[in-house]
């Protein structure tokens, strides 16, 4: 992606150099970003980072908020929601009432509420279990760190045990609320009974280690200073470096309401809201997503935020009370059509997602799937500026979306191309190895011949690599092993004799090691030593129904992009490489190991692999 920004505020120029090169921003940089009046340039910088991560996608989820009770033992100064037991406005929901709020169409329930003085531990577990039993496909995001800390103290159980029991009951992720601002000064003034930053961060660290991903928030626009906002962002960035367990960051604009902290009418300005979103995107270089929470921002500001660094707008949010009790002026829920319109008005692709950001439905034409790994970057440098819109999606998921006719073109996993050859037409571009691949790796504690009867964990993203592994096991080595998909939220491989990792995760593990494994097999090398052929992992294809002129345009821009990338690999992908801790040189060497055009040897390799797949009669997914 090439982008020129004409800065009015010259102090932004050196910061842009860093952003463009993928270098990390300092507190001083963050201070300048908050101070600047060059708001358009700030937005462009954040949008550049947003596009490099999420293409043109903006995610939303069909969700329902449940606040089981407003009775709370604390009385935080900024909270307009909580009441004491016996208060005329107090309410407590039964589990049946909670279940009554849910329908099979929604994908996520978001549950947070007051700290009830009397509810038993078993009641919380029953809430999760009963929801899971009645709606097995629904993802449950529940309990902030403040609630987890309350359970830990009230029920006298370690935080790890609390979280493990909730996870066993069906909890998938945790919301990011309760962080407020990581400043002791603010805490003492506004919420001194509430947990401090260390406790909040420790609870999320524990959750991440147990495979419970979470979000993070900041509550801004009350008495906090710019430096306190920055301190908050940097603490989160440090924890994300350590665990990688945060999905998204959500700046929450303070709603003064009747809190008395600020006059009712002194809500945050749209400029402050947009700055907060943009600076978050720029400072939190290791967070996959930044959310524009429309409930607090209003629909209008949220829509602009989608070009200021935010790639998620939350969801339909039925049943929200906390922000509205504090005076939020937005609607209390939005219909799916309204969300889609907000996203389209921002010039983006509305992508309905699940809790792990897997695309479920796409509401746009001319969408091209992009494998979100370093080795696909050379294809996409030019495409963004044309009529096509880019949706980053894992190889396996891309196959699913294509089968559902939700994609017009993409770099398809070879196995998915085989399966859909009636509907897809191949272009002359591919991801093929010369000999080794470096990013499709079997980490093992056993030599090939000792894998008989063993259990191999398979990363959830793969469609072709898992088939290559099967072919190698069955046809090259004559081995039968048990292949099991890994849970996408857990990096615990202790139950496996070997694991197959692909893409950036494999590159990272190759450099830094995958815990517990001594041997690393490169599957493309195994293939090359056996067949003396390259291996084709993915191939560009378009829908056969695509008009010829559009097809030709796509071919031209892929060709243009590749021609520019070839021989320039130390520059192409440097931003992406930094994100996965590869040096410029490592990235260049890696990309130079591929052939991106289909030639005679690639065609022979495709035919050979297809024949072997037919032989083992395994075109169905594991
Ligand atoms: S912010 Fe949360 S913990 Fe504090 S009073 Fe309100 S409901 Fe209770």
């Amino acid at each position: 992606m090439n982008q020129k920004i004409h800065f009015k505020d010259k102090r932004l120029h050196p910061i842009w150099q860093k952003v463009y090169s993928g270098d990390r921003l300092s507190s001083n940089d963050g201070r300048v970003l908050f101070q600047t009046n060059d708001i358009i340039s700030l937005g462009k910088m954040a949008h550049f980072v947003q596009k490099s991560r999420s293409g043109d996608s903006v995610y939303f989820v069909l969700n329902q908020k449940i606040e089981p009770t407003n009775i709370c033992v604390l009385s935080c100064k900024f909270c307009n929601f909580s009441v004491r037991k016996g208060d005329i406005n107090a309410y407590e929901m039964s589990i049946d009432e909670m279940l009554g709020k849910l329908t099979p169409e929604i994908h996520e329930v978001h549950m947070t509420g007051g700290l009830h003085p009397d509810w038993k531990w078993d009641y919380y577990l029953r809430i999760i279990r009963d929801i899971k039993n009645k709606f097995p496909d629904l993802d449950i995001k529940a309990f902030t760190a403040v609630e987890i800390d309350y359970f830990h103290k009230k029920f006298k159980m370690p935080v790890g045990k609390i979280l493990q029991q909730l996870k066993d009951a069906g909890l998938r992720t945790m919301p990011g609320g309760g962080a407020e601002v990581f400043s002791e000064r603010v805490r003492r003034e506004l919420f001194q009974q509430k947990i401090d930053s260390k406790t909040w961060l420790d609870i999320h660290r524990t959750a991440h280690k147990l495979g419970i991903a979470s979000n993070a928030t900041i509550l801004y626009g009350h008495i906090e200073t710019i430096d306190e906002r920055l301190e908050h962002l940097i603490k989160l960035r440090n924890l994300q470096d350590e665990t990688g367990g945060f999905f998204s960051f959500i700046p929450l604009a303070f709603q003064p309401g009747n809190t008395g902290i600020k006059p009712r009418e002194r809500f945050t300005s749209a400029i402050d809201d947009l700055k907060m979103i943009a600076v978050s995107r720029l400072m939190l270089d290791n967070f996959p997503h930044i959310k524009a929470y429309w409930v607090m921002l209003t629909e209008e500001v949220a829509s602009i935020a989608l070009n200021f660094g935010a790639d998620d707008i939350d969801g339909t949010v039925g049943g929200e009370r906390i922000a509205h009790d504090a005076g939020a002026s937005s609607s209390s829920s939005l219909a799916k059509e309204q969300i889609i319109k907000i996203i389209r008005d921002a010039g983006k692709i509305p992508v309905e997602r699940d809790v792990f950001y897997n695309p479920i439905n796409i509401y746009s034409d001319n969408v091209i799937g992009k494998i979100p790994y370093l080795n696909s970057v050379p294809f996409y440098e030019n495409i963004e500026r044309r009529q096509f819109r880019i949706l980053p999606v894992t190889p396996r998921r891309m196959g699913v979306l294509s089968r559902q006719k939700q994609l017009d073109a993409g770099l398809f996993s070879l196995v998915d191309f085989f399966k859909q050859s009636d509907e897809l037409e191949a272009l002359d571009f591919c991801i093929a190895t010369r000999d080794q691949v470096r990013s499709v790796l079997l980490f093992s504690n056993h030599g090939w011949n000792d894998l008989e009867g063993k259990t191999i964990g398979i990363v959830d993203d793969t469609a072709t690599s898992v088939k290559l592994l099967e072919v190698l096991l069955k046809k090259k080595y004559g081995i039968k092993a048990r292949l099991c998909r890994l849970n996408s939220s857990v990096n615990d491989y202790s139950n496996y004799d070997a694991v197959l990792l692909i893409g950036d995760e494999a590159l990272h593990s190759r450099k830094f090691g995958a815990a517990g494994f001594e041997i690393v097999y490169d599957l493309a090398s195994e293939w090359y030593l056996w067949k003396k052929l390259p291996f084709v992992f993915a191939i560009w294809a378009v829908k056969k129904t695509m008009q010829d002129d559009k097809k030709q345009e796509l071919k031209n821009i892929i060709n243009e992009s590749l021609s520019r990338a070839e021989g320039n690999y130390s520059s192409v992908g440097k931003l992406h490489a930094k994100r996965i801790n590869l040096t410029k040189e490592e990235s260049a060497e890696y990309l130079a190991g591929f052939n991106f055009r289909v030639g005679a040897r690639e065609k022979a390799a495709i035919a050979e692999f297809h024949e072997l797949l037919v032989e083992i009669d395994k075109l169905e997914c594991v």
Side-chain angles (χ1 to χ4, degrees):
M1 264 186 297
N2 296 313
Q3 174 139 10
K4 286 203 169 52
I5 302 178
H6 300 289
F7 293 101
K8 283 187 180 166
D9 182 346
K10 300 297 173 212
R11 294 176 305 162
L12 297 183
H13 197 262
I15 299 177
W16 171 233
Q17 298 291 327
K18 283 189 179 181
V19 172
Y20 194 66
S21 309
D23 292 335
R24 180 157 274 191
L25 301 187
S26 66
S27 283
N28 284 339
D29 296 326
R31 208 167 292 120
V32 172
L33 295 175
F34 273 122
Q35 286 165 351
T36 189
N37 288 327
D38 192 354
I39 185 82
I40 298 300
S41 299
L42 174 65
K44 283 184 175 171
M45 288 196 286
H47 190 233
F48 168 81
V49 177
Q50 173 193 345
K51 280 201 80 161
S52 77
R53 282 188 166 274
S54 309
D56 297 301
S57 316
V58 168
Y59 299 91
F60 71 96
V61 63
L62 299 185
N63 58 354
Q64 173 73 32
K65 219 164 182 201
I66 293 183
E67 283 137 6
T69 178
N70 61 349
I71 298 172
C72 187
V73 295
L74 300 189
S75 38
C76 304
K77 212 167 172 182
F78 56 74
C79 179
N80 254 349
F81 167 74
S82 71
V83 295
R84 294 289 174 184
K85 201 170 176 192
D87 188 288
I88 190 163
N89 294 317
Y91 73 85
E92 303 173 54
M93 291 171 76
S94 67
I95 295 182
D96 279 345
E97 283 173 308
M98 294 179 216
L99 291 173
K101 287 188 166 289
L102 302 174
T103 57
E105 299 80 56
I106 61 171
H107 299 305
E108 175 194 281
V109 56
H110 177 136
M111 190 158 36
T112 57
L115 311 177
H116 196 285
D118 307 324
W119 283 2
K120 303 276 182 275
W121 176 232
D122 188 53
Y123 187 62
Y124 293 100
L125 291 178
R126 269 204 294 130
I127 294 174
I128 303 290
R129 270 194 220 113
D130 287 1
I131 292 176
K132 205 66 204 164
N133 283 341
K134 188 154 183 205
F135 299 97
D137 296 333
L138 187 65
D139 288 317
I140 304 173
K141 181 169 75 181
F143 306 127
T144 64
V146 176
E147 290 165 285
I148 299 295
D149 180 69
Y150 179 65
F151 301 155
H152 150 66
K153 289 181 179 137
K154 185 169 165 58
F155 304 117
K156 301 191 179 16
M157 282 196 286
V159 166
K161 194 169 173 190
I162 294 273
L163 288 167
Q164 187 62 55
Q165 290 192 10
L166 288 170
K167 186 180 170 199
D168 293 344
L171 181 86
R172 297 294 293 271
T173 57
M174 273 175 65
E180 322 310 3
V181 184
F182 294 152
S183 150
E184 260 314 289
R185 180 191 74 84
V186 176
R187 193 174 83 88
R188 275 198 302 273
E189 234 172 286
L190 298 188
F191 50 96
Q192 56 181 312
Q193 300 158 302
K194 228 174 187 177
I195 58 174
D196 59 13
S197 60
K198 182 176 178 315
T199 310
W200 191 97
L201 291 163
D202 280 346
I203 288 171
H204 281 260
R205 180 182 288 109
T206 307
H208 296 172
K209 286 187 177 157
L210 289 170
I212 302 170
S214 67
N215 293 334
T217 60
I218 184 172
L219 185 70
Y220 68 95
H222 41 86
I223 63 164
E224 86 289 355
T225 63
I226 292 304
D227 279 357
E228 285 165 339
R229 289 188 193 182
L230 285 165
E231 184 189 336
H232 187 98
L233 294 177
I234 287 171
K235 279 184 174 166
L236 287 173
R237 189 169 75 181
N238 291 343
L239 180 56
Q240 180 74 333
D241 277 344
E242 190 186 322
T243 67
F246 289 116
F247 275 141
S248 74
F249 178 67
I250 311 153
L252 300 173
F254 177 63
Q255 312 291 327
N258 297 323
T259 57
I261 294 167
K262 277 167 74 169
R264 262 194 98 80
E265 60 281 2
R266 289 277 309 281
F267 40 80
T268 56
S269 72
I271 296 291
D272 197 17
D273 294 334
L274 293 173
K275 265 190 183 176
M276 191 66 229
I277 295 272
V279 177
S280 303
R281 181 59 286 169
L282 292 165
M283 293 297 293
L284 295 176
D285 51 13
N286 51 7
F287 270 62
H289 305 284
I290 303 291
K291 190 181 283 188
Y293 187 48
W294 63 264
V295 172
M296 285 184 167
L297 292 177
T298 73
E299 291 160 54
E300 293 78 9
V301 176
S303 175
I304 304 171
L306 303 182
N307 280 283
F308 268 71
D311 67 342
D312 187 327
I313 195 165
D314 201 83
T316 40
V317 203
E320 203 286 332
R321 284 188 60 160
I322 294 177
H324 287 90
D325 283 353
S329 60
S330 57
S331 333
S332 61
S333 68
L334 284 184
K336 181 167 136 185
E337 291 65 36
Q338 282 169 282
I339 296 257
I340 290 171
K341 181 173 183 313
I342 293 172
I343 298 172
R344 281 200 182 129
D345 286 351
K348 302 288 182 181
I349 312 171
V351 180
E352 189 182 327
R353 63 167 174 84
D354 67 10
V355 76
F356 295 115
Y357 283 83
N358 291 311
I360 297 170
N361 286 308
I362 300 157
Y363 299 90
S364 178
D365 296 329
N366 296 329
V367 176
I368 291 181
K370 174 185 179 182
I371 294 176
Y373 306 146
L374 177 58
N375 58 8
S376 80
V377 170
F379 291 115
Y380 293 89
E381 288 291 287
N382 260 354
I383 294 181
E384 278 88 342
R385 287 174 284 134
R386 310 297 178 94
Q387 63 172 307
F388 301 102
R389 320 267 206 96
I390 306 296
L391 173 78
V393 58
T394 61
R396 189 171 180 223
R397 192 78 209 150
M398 200 184 309
V400 173
L401 292 174
S402 172
R403 276 196 291 283
Q404 294 169 348
K405 307 197 186 322
Q406 300 211 51
L407 291 176
D408 293 90
L411 183 53
F412 289 94
S413 173
L414 186 62
V415 165
D416 281 314
F417 175 71
F418 289 155
K419 285 179 186 172
Q420 297 175 56
S421 55
D422 287 350
E423 292 179 12
L424 294 175
E425 177 184 329
L427 304 181
D428 297 332
F429 310 102
C430 65
I431 292 189
T433 55
R434 297 186 200 283
D435 42 30
Q436 58 177 329
V437 57
R438 295 183 166 97
S439 56
V440 178
L441 304 174
L442 184 71
F443 292 84
S444 178
N445 283 325
H446 307 275
W448 285 104
N449 291 322
D450 294 329
L451 283 170
E452 178 72 37
K454 299 283 191 304
T455 303
I456 303 179
I458 307 293
V459 69
D460 197 46
D461 299 354
T462 164
T464 293
S465 304
V466 62
K467 289 297 171 191
L468 173 57
L469 176 63
E470 274 190 70
V471 164
L472 291 170
L473 286 167
K474 288 180 182 162
K475 302 297 291 183
K476 183 175 177 186
Y477 291 104
I479 298 288
K480 270 196 195 145
R482 208 165 75 85
L483 308 188
C484 304
R485 291 281 179 186
L486 292 165
N487 181 329
S488 55
S489 66
V490 186
N491 277 347
D492 177 6
Y493 307 137
S494 53
N495 293 329
Y496 301 95
D497 299 293
V499 292
L500 175 66
L501 302 182
I502 68 165
D504 293 350
E505 190 181 0
L507 277 175
H508 188 272
S509 298
R510 180 174 178 263
K511 184 167 177 180
F512 299 101
F517 298 106
E518 289 160 15
I519 310 170
V520 184
Y521 291 114
D522 183 312
L523 295 202
S525 297
E526 289 289 329
W527 169 266
Y528 182 77
L529 291 171
W530 184 32
K531 296 288 173 187
K532 299 288 175 273
L533 281 171
F535 190 82
V536 180
F537 283 96
I539 187 156
W540 268 95
V542 297
K543 271 187 192 165
K544 281 187 175 161
T545 50
M546 186 183 271
Q547 290 159 350
D548 286 346
D549 56 338
K550 210 194 253 184
K551 205 183 304 170
Q552 191 55 48
E553 182 185 0
L554 182 58
K555 277 188 197 172
N556 290 346
I557 59 180
I558 295 172
N559 191 37
E560 223 174 89
S561 184
L562 266 185
S563 304
R564 199 189 283 184
E566 282 158 345
N568 191 21
Y569 290 136
S570 57
S571 168
V572 170
K574 66 182 175 191
L575 199 63
H576 192 115
K578 275 232 168 99
R579 245 178 241 150
I580 53 173
N581 288 317
L582 292 195
T583 64
K584 218 162 58 170
E585 293 70 31
E586 286 166 337
S587 167
E589 193 191 358
Y590 172 64
L591 291 175
F594 290 99
N595 189 355
F596 296 113
R597 296 173 194 273
V598 180
R601 281 176 58 72
E602 286 69 34
K603 283 185 183 157
I606 291 172
E608 177 72 20
F609 184 56
H610 189 262
E611 207 169 294
L612 286 162
L613 279 182
V614 172
E615 265 181 51
I616 64 168
D617 191 30
K618 287 281 184 190
L619 271 174
E620 82 277 10
C621 297
V622 284

